[in-house]
Amino acid sequence: MDNLVLVVGIIVALVIVVLIFGILGYVKAPPNQAYIISGFRKSRMLVGRSGIRIPFLERLDKLTLAMMSVDVKTTDFVPTNDFINVKADAAVKVKISRNEDLVKLASENFLNKTEDYIIEQVRDVLEGNMREIIGQMELKDMVNDRKMFADKVQENAVPDFAKMGLEIVAFNVQSFEDQNGIIDDLGIDNIAQIKKNASIAKANAQREIAEAESNASKLANDARVEAEKEIAVKNNQLAISKAELKREEDLKQAIADAAYEIEKENQRKRIELTKAEANIVRQQKESEVKEQDVRVKEMTLNAEIRKQAEADRYAKEEAAQAVLFERQKAAEAERYQREQEALALKAQADANKYAQEQEAAGIRAKGLAEAAAIQAKLQAEADGLDKKAEAMKKYGEAAVLEMYFKALPEVARHIAEPLNNVDKITMYGEGNNAKMIEDITTSITKINSGLGDSMGIDLKSLLAGVLGGKILLDNQATPEDSNKD
């Protein structure tokens, strides 16, 4: 039991010792430093990684790998290849190389040294290389091509830096200075040359600008002319297109207006034709009525001659019955006419409604409705005249003559009606006034002749017979009869 405790204690002690040695021996190098472990074993280097060193038996040294800036100036004037004394100033970036062989050389030279120490050593080496390169080049070449100077210095210094374990990262020349102001003179000469070249370049540029402006103006003018020509062509084409469209529109409108007027004229002709036909029917009926009236009057006159007293009584009775009958028929005719007018108004309302949907068809329907209304009205008048003719059959030719005389003023009015539309008539030549009156009289005479040809009535004979009978009747009448009449 005691041996087990002792063994455990030893193991624990060994573990603690190992942990202590591990903690003390663990090292980790940052990326910008190199840790060099040397002593018990072969020396080794750690950069940006961790490692183990044996405490108390191995040594840990640090070497910076950071970049260092070195300001290098020649302390005094150095003669160039063309024997001009100058000073040079440059800014150099250096660092310890990561190459293991170079790191070993750097550790031999700069291990545990500060950056200031390293910079001082580098400055001396670079100044010596700059002096050497200055002596190999001419002043004008150095001033005009600083990069070439820097490359030569850097190329000349690389072997020396390799021996120290260093490398040049960048080499930039800051300035050159001479004792006699030669660089300034070169600058003045260059300035004059530059001004000369600048003047020449300016003159050339102004000339080129003037040429370019002239060409641009010419091109702009050509473009403007072409654009105006194109605009004029387009405007002309647009005007032509508008004119064609306007012509087509006017043509369509004219066709529509013509169709409307044609349809309107057709409807007017239909209405006039219907009116004419109705007038003919009405005139025929009126002629028949007049003929019957004439016959009635002739019979009446004959009856009066044969038997005056009886004829008077009979005439009065028949006249009363005829008046009553005429009134009844007139009332029936008026009622029938009102019914026909109501139907015509209804047809007119339907036609107006349909006309709102289709104007041309509406006009046609309206014309037909008006013609139907007129025909119905005239038919009603004709029917009334038929009834009147039946009632007046006993009056004979005297009634026809009476109706003719009633209608004659209306015929004359229709003959003279077109003259109402004439504001003034100016007659030139002799006898024209008489000629116009003769034409009007001839028209009335032709109407009388047409009445005789169409109905077989000799108006002159009829008038003569009626007037003769009237005279004879008047001669045979007694004083009492005269007073009664």
Side-chain angles (χ1 to χ4, degrees):
M1 186 65 180
D2 294 335
N3 293 331
L4 180 59
V5 174
L6 180 61
V7 171
V8 172
I10 293 171
I11 293 172
V12 171
L14 290 174
V15 170
I16 293 172
V17 170
V18 169
L19 289 174
I20 292 172
F21 272 83
I23 293 171
L24 295 176
Y26 177 77
V27 293
K28 183 176 181 181
N32 61 346
Q33 280 188 338
Y35 285 3
I36 299 172
I37 300 173
S38 60
F40 183 73
R41 296 178 294 175
K42 182 180 179 181
S43 63
R44 57 193 183 277
M45 180 179 64
L46 301 176
V47 179
R49 58 191 180 90
S50 60
I52 301 294
R53 73 178 181 88
I54 300 173
F56 312 111
L57 297 179
E58 292 183 331
R59 176 185 175 89
L60 177 63
D61 296 300
K62 298 179 180 180
L63 184 66
T64 181
L65 301 178
M67 188 178 299
M68 293 169 283
S69 299
V70 182
D71 186 13
V72 183
K73 295 181 180 180
T74 55
T75 56
D76 53 3
F77 290 96
V78 180
T80 63
N81 189 28
D82 50 355
F83 306 105
I84 299 173
N85 295 325
V86 297
K87 286 184 178 181
D89 184 8
V92 185
K93 299 290 185 181
V94 298
K95 65 186 291 293
I96 295 174
S97 176
R98 289 178 176 270
N99 186 283
E100 292 184 1
D101 295 334
L102 295 179
V103 169
K104 288 179 181 180
L105 293 174
S107 64
E108 292 176 1
N109 297 316
F110 306 113
L111 191 64
N112 296 322
K113 299 294 183 179
T114 62
E115 288 187 3
D116 293 337
Y117 175 80
I118 299 172
I119 290 172
E120 190 64 28
Q121 299 303 316
V122 169
R123 182 179 289 113
D124 292 340
V125 175
L126 287 175
E127 185 178 355
N129 286 278
M130 285 176 63
R131 287 175 175 270
E132 185 176 352
I133 298 304
I134 289 172
Q136 295 177 2
M137 297 183 65
E138 293 183 356
L139 177 62
K140 188 175 182 180
D141 294 335
M142 287 190 299
V143 174
N144 291 334
D145 196 351
R146 293 185 179 186
K147 186 177 185 303
M148 182 177 66
F149 174 78
D151 292 340
K152 285 187 176 183
V153 174
Q154 188 174 352
E155 182 181 354
N156 195 60
V158 166
D160 296 334
F161 273 69
K163 292 176 182 179
M164 292 185 293
L166 301 172
E167 62 182 15
I168 299 175
V169 178
F171 190 100
N172 296 313
V173 178
Q174 299 296 319
S175 64
F176 292 104
E177 181 184 357
D178 69 285
Q179 287 182 322
N180 301 316
I182 297 174
I183 295 176
D184 293 337
D185 294 339
L186 291 174
I188 292 171
D189 181 62
N190 288 334
I191 290 172
Q193 188 65 32
I194 290 170
K195 286 183 178 180
K196 177 182 177 183
N197 294 334
S199 299
I200 295 172
K202 183 178 180 181
N204 292 332
Q206 290 177 348
R207 178 177 56 80
E208 292 175 357
I209 290 171
E211 292 177 355
E213 289 178 350
S214 177
N215 292 331
S217 178
K218 180 178 179 300
L219 293 175
N221 185 61
D222 293 341
R224 181 179 60 80
V225 171
E226 291 297 328
E228 290 179 356
K229 289 171 62 179
E230 186 68 20
I231 290 171
V233 171
K234 294 296 183 181
N235 289 334
N236 189 25
Q237 293 177 354
L238 178 61
I240 293 172
S241 299
K242 286 183 177 180
E244 291 179 353
L245 293 175
K246 184 66 168 61
R247 182 177 61 79
E248 293 178 359
E249 182 181 358
D250 293 342
L251 180 60
K252 291 180 180 179
Q253 185 65 36
I255 293 173
D257 294 340
Y260 174 79
E261 293 297 332
I262 290 171
E263 183 61 28
K264 185 177 179 181
E265 184 65 20
N266 290 334
Q267 293 301 322
R268 187 186 64 78
K269 289 180 179 179
R270 291 192 185 97
I271 293 171
E272 291 180 355
L273 181 60
T274 304
K275 286 181 178 181
E277 292 176 352
N279 287 329
I280 293 172
V281 173
R282 181 175 60 82
Q283 290 175 2
Q284 290 176 354
K285 296 299 182 182
E286 288 178 351
S287 299
E288 293 177 359
V289 170
K290 290 176 182 179
E291 182 179 2
Q292 295 298 326
D293 289 341
V294 170
R295 291 177 182 175
V296 168
K297 288 183 178 181
E298 183 180 3
M299 293 172 64
T300 302
L301 291 174
N302 293 330
E304 288 178 352
I305 294 172
R306 288 192 304 268
K307 193 175 181 179
Q308 185 65 39
E310 185 179 356
D312 290 338
R313 181 179 59 79
Y314 182 79
K316 290 180 181 179
E317 290 176 355
E318 292 296 324
Q321 292 179 0
V323 169
L324 178 60
F325 184 79
E326 183 179 3
R327 289 179 180 177
Q328 292 176 353
K329 294 303 179 180
E332 291 177 359
E334 184 178 2
R335 178 179 58 79
Y336 181 78
Q337 181 177 355
R338 289 179 181 178
E339 290 176 354
Q340 294 300 320
E341 288 178 351
L343 293 175
L345 291 175
K346 183 176 182 300
Q348 181 66 33
D350 294 336
N352 290 335
K353 180 179 178 181
Y354 186 71
Q356 294 176 357
E357 300 174 352
Q358 189 177 8
E359 184 176 359
I363 293 172
R364 185 184 298 109
K366 181 178 178 181
L368 293 176
E370 290 178 355
I374 293 170
Q375 185 175 5
K377 183 177 179 181
L378 294 176
Q379 184 65 37
E381 293 178 356
D383 293 340
L385 292 173
D386 288 338
K387 299 297 182 181
K388 186 176 180 180
E390 292 177 1
M392 298 178 68
K393 284 181 180 180
K394 298 178 180 182
Y395 286 96
E397 293 182 355
V400 174
L401 185 61
E402 180 181 1
M403 294 181 68
Y404 171 77
F405 282 118
K406 289 182 180 180
L408 187 60
E410 185 69 17
V411 172
R413 185 180 66 82
H414 284 289
I415 293 172
E417 185 175 5
L419 297 175
N420 293 331
N421 298 323
V422 180
D423 294 335
K424 180 179 180 182
I425 298 176
T426 302
M427 306 297 292
Y428 294 97
E430 297 180 357
N432 285 325
N433 294 331
K435 181 67 168 58
M436 183 176 67
I437 296 172
E438 181 182 355
D439 290 340
I440 295 172
T441 306
T442 302
S443 298
I444 297 174
T445 303
K446 288 181 178 180
I447 292 172
N448 292 331
S449 299
L451 182 63
D453 294 337
S454 61
M455 301 182 64
I457 297 175
D458 188 354
L459 186 60
K460 293 181 179 180
S461 300
L462 184 62
L463 288 174
V466 171
L467 292 176
K470 180 66 176 174
I471 293 171
L472 180 60
L473 183 61
D474 290 339
N475 292 331
Q476 295 177 356
T478 61
E480 294 179 357
D481 295 333
S482 301
N483 293 332
K484 290 179 181 180
D485 292 336

